[in-house]
Amino acid sequence: MLRCRFDLYTLGEESRAMSTTLQNWAFLRKKVKKSMLVFFNPIKFGLTFTLGNLLSIGSTGFLIGPKRQVTMMLDPVRIYATAIYLASMIIALFCALYVHNRLLTLLAIILEFGALIWYSLSYIPFARSMVSKVMVSCLDTDF
């Protein structure tokens, strides 16, 4: 079995005998296999992704204070982005924990990722309008 090149110190002499190219291919194979977790087990990925998003909101609340965090989240500029983001996290957790449907969980993850991007863009001045204009120009079918 091929091993990752970063496991050389724990595996022993057989992994040190592998060429650098073979070690790189083994590392790439391992990373691709782990990234396919989204498609093979979206329920597990949905749980970890959503919990990671909740932890990131909690960590920014810890850094700037919970009152300021809530005030910024409920700012009229980003109230809709916040509501959609929080609702998408609830939907993802509901699909993963209660429904146990892989397709619905995968769709909820995609919705949550899009809501995360839109919510993050709400903190950058004029970013949402710029992205909206770029997306309209890219998806415009009139020539």
Side-chain angles (χ1 to χ4, degrees):
M1 184 172 151
L2 299 176
R3 298 288 183 183
C4 171
R5 78 183 280 181
F6 296 108
D7 293 338
L8 292 178
Y9 298 107
T10 59
L11 293 177
E13 291 297 323
E14 67 275 356
S15 64
R16 291 188 182 107
M18 291 172 41
S19 68
T20 305
T21 306
L22 191 58
Q23 291 172 7
N24 288 335
W25 279 109
F27 176 73
L28 182 65
R29 181 176 160 254
K30 185 176 181 180
K31 287 299 177 185
V32 167
K33 186 177 176 183
K34 286 198 182 251
S35 67
M36 295 303 287
L37 177 68
V38 176
F39 299 108
F40 293 131
N41 196 353
I43 294 173
K44 184 178 178 182
F45 180 79
L47 286 173
T48 55
F49 184 67
T50 304
L51 291 176
N53 284 336
L54 289 172
L55 286 174
S56 70
I57 289 176
S59 64
T60 55
F62 177 77
L63 289 174
I64 64 174
K67 184 178 179 184
R68 186 167 178 218
Q69 172 76 22
V70 172
T71 304
M72 289 174 66
M73 289 174 73
L74 298 178
D75 191 36
V77 174
R78 67 182 61 90
I79 185 73
Y80 296 117
T82 301
I84 292 170
Y85 181 48
L86 293 176
S88 69
M89 284 193 283
I90 291 169
I91 291 169
L93 285 175
F94 178 76
C95 289
L97 294 175
Y98 186 71
V99 178
H100 293 290
N101 188 336
R102 291 178 182 224
L103 182 62
L104 283 178
T105 306
L106 188 61
L107 291 174
I109 292 168
I110 293 169
L111 174 70
E112 184 178 351
F113 185 73
L116 170 66
I117 296 295
W118 197 253
Y119 174 74
S120 300
L121 288 174
S122 71
Y123 283 93
I124 304 169
F126 304 108
R128 291 190 297 182
S129 62
M130 182 185 68
V131 169
S132 296
K133 288 177 185 176
V134 168
M135 292 302 290
V136 165
S137 67
C138 288
L139 298 175
D140 189 20
T141 57
D142 292 336
F143 292 106

